[in-house]
Amino acid sequence: MAASAAFTSPLAGELAEDVLERLVRYARIDTQGEHRAAARPSTPKQLDLSRLLVDELLELGLEDARLTGDSNVFASLPGAEGAPVLGLIAHVDTTPDVTGAGVSPIVHRAWDGSAIRLPGDPRQVLDPERLPELAARVGHDLVTSDGTTLLGADDKAGIAEIMSAVSYLVRHPERPRAPLRVAFTVDEEVGRGAEDFDLEEFGADVAYTLDGSGLGELEVETFSASSIRVTIRGLSVHPGTAKGKLVNAVKLAAQLIDALPADRLSPETTEGREGYVHPHRVAGNAEETVVDFIARDHDDALLAQHVALLRGLVDEAAAREPRAAFDVEVRDSYRNMRPHIERHPRVVEAALEAIRRAGVEPKLAITRGGTDGAVLSARGLPTPNVFTGGQEYHSVREWASVQDMAAAAATIVHLAEVWAEPA
């Protein structure tokens, strides 16, 4: 077998196997969340991983590690006196959109560049000709699922990297480091990860989420986001006697979705800073059907226009079929963190320096999504998002590079180092 690709630094090479072992182990724990559940966490199984992480942190010597009343894992690692307190954050939940039960991680050592057919579902193929990020990682050790589930690198890669870095810092007390606060949240994927986050108890001066993707990226800008639920109430009648009576909510929902622009304002037709309106869940019957949409944009004014567009389409549908009832509920999820991050230039400069020390050329990036950091930044804790090495998130074709994950773990160690140094 060919040798695996080189790591970005000796430290990354030292951390790699621990990061890999942790990702594989954490990925097997089902932590899938649920949209619009009233409970917190939205699914109790998320706490299976949270409790395990508390136990592992205690074993590492972080004596205050605990599961808080609002379902966050908090823990501390002392550091240089007088240095800013550095927060490290990742989330335990995985997306509700793709199953996370029965994950079977596969490690592809020293990948040779050929297409990867996932054995659980041979229709699922990772083709480097269609995936430029994958094509750039010939020789890397890759982790995938078997093609029947997501992998869960979003955000278990981030968790593994934080845990590996903390373990390393515990074993190497001679390395300069800032005091650390570690947090693992629930329900980030349903927009509630920072809902009850106690900033005062957390006690960090600056923080970073480990929830990004591509090697070397530091995300300082997120979407602003709203979720919109449209409830359509029709009239169900036995189909044998339905002529002139039936008002089919399912058909009305289909017509509403079909009225969305076909060539713009959708995830499949946009990129960069372009926003979208995305129907992601439909449930119901002829009597009542619910359609859940998410609206996203990096510009708050444009986001408001997207929501207004959907409201207008609902009004038009209601006018066409006055016998039906249409209800629209809009919830704000989070706002672009960029203006909050811009007020704290050192939080960006320190991360870029830490990435360099990990042997990677850093690059500022935007994310076409959101993070716990967007909410926390708006609440006063500047929290950019650091890469993890995972790719193709929210998909059965999700994959991660061990070399990139190791670089992220090394970046965390260097972050602790940088924040221990004078400003």
Side-chain angles (χ1 to χ4, degrees):
M1 178 181 293
S4 295
F7 292 96
T8 61
S9 69
L11 176 58
E14 184 175 345
L15 296 172
E17 286 303 314
D18 184 45
V19 171
L20 172 60
E21 185 276 331
R22 290 180 186 276
L23 172 63
V24 168
R25 184 155 49 84
Y26 301 154
R28 290 194 174 106
I29 302 171
D30 181 8
T31 57
Q32 188 176 32
E34 181 179 335
H35 287 298
R36 288 184 173 256
R40 178 171 174 84
S42 60
T43 54
K45 60 188 176 182
Q46 294 177 54
L47 298 182
D48 293 343
L49 178 53
S50 300
R51 295 187 184 100
L52 173 66
L53 293 169
V54 169
D55 290 343
E56 292 187 359
L57 288 163
L58 290 170
E59 290 172 4
L60 289 175
L62 280 66
E63 296 177 354
D64 66 344
R66 70 185 187 92
L67 186 62
T68 69
D70 48 18
S71 301
N72 295 313
V73 175
F74 279 0
S76 303
L77 184 64
E81 187 174 347
V85 178
L86 170 63
L88 301 169
I89 303 169
H91 63 88
V92 301
D93 60 306
T94 59
T95 178
D97 298 333
V98 181
T99 182
V103 175
S104 181
I106 301 172
V107 181
H108 309 263
R109 294 282 186 182
W111 175 58
D112 64 5
S114 60
I116 302 172
R117 191 173 299 275
L118 301 178
D121 182 355
R123 298 174 304 155
Q124 306 301 338
V125 179
L126 299 179
D127 185 352
E129 292 189 3
R130 298 185 177 184
L131 300 171
E133 294 293 338
L134 179 64
R137 282 158 177 81
V138 175
H140 282 225
D141 304 310
L142 305 181
V143 190
T144 69
S145 76
D146 69 354
T148 62
T149 70
L150 47 67
L151 173 61
D154 179 11
D155 190 24
K156 291 167 185 173
I159 295 172
E161 290 152 9
I162 291 173
M163 292 295 293
S164 182
V166 168
S167 176
Y168 175 86
L169 289 168
V170 168
R171 298 194 310 272
H172 294 274
E174 74 283 358
R175 286 191 73 113
R177 66 170 184 253
L180 300 184
R181 287 289 277 161
V182 174
F184 300 121
T185 64
V186 297
D187 284 337
E188 189 272 352
E189 295 291 359
V190 296
R192 298 176 60 195
E195 183 175 278
D196 298 311
F197 197 99
D198 190 329
L199 285 177
E200 184 175 353
E201 181 184 356
F202 189 51
D205 297 305
V206 297
Y208 300 88
T209 48
L210 272 293
D211 195 16
S213 186
L215 179 68
E217 290 184 348
L218 178 71
E219 293 172 342
V220 296
E221 185 173 353
T222 62
F223 271 141
S224 292
S226 296
S227 64
I228 306 101
R229 169 164 285 188
V230 179
T231 302
I232 305 170
R233 296 179 180 87
L235 177 64
S236 179
V237 180
H238 189 288
T241 58
K243 185 175 181 179
K245 305 173 188 175
L246 175 66
V247 181
N248 192 330
V250 174
K251 286 187 175 180
L252 295 175
Q255 293 165 11
L256 174 62
I257 294 169
D258 191 54
L260 289 168
D263 58 352
R264 62 185 182 89
L265 281 183
S266 65
E268 60 269 30
T269 61
T270 56
E271 61 184 353
R273 287 188 169 83
E274 297 172 316
Y276 57 75
V277 179
H278 174 49
H280 69 97
R281 181 177 178 273
V282 181
N285 50 37
E287 180 72 17
E288 180 177 294
T289 297
V290 174
V291 188
D292 285 324
F293 298 83
I294 54 176
R296 302 284 190 268
D297 207 288
H298 288 90
D299 183 303
D300 286 358
L302 291 177
L303 175 64
Q305 291 180 22
H306 303 334
V307 174
L309 168 69
L310 184 56
R311 285 187 181 276
L313 294 176
V314 171
D315 290 343
E316 291 173 7
R320 287 194 301 270
E321 181 47 272
R323 295 176 299 169
F326 292 77
D327 178 70
V328 180
E329 177 192 359
V330 180
R331 293 184 183 179
D332 290 333
S333 301
Y334 50 83
R335 286 292 178 263
N336 190 344
M337 66 182 176
R338 179 177 178 176
H340 309 291
I341 298 298
E342 287 178 336
R343 293 197 287 268
H344 302 275
R346 192 187 173 200
V347 77
V348 174
E349 294 163 3
L352 297 177
E353 176 59 21
I355 294 169
R356 290 188 195 97
R357 293 185 189 185
V360 179
E361 182 61 33
K363 47 192 171 184
L364 293 177
I366 64 173
T367 176
R368 286 177 57 80
T371 68
D372 284 337
V375 177
L376 296 176
S377 295
R379 292 177 57 193
L381 178 63
T383 311
N385 192 31
V386 177
F387 72 97
T388 66
Q391 302 279 352
E392 298 293 308
Y393 287 161
H394 296 202
S395 166
V396 296
R397 300 183 187 182
E398 185 183 6
W399 59 274
S401 158
V402 174
Q403 278 75 2
D404 293 358
M405 289 192 297
T411 296
I412 297 169
V413 173
H414 291 301
L415 270 173
E417 179 182 73
V418 171
W419 281 104
E421 298 169 356

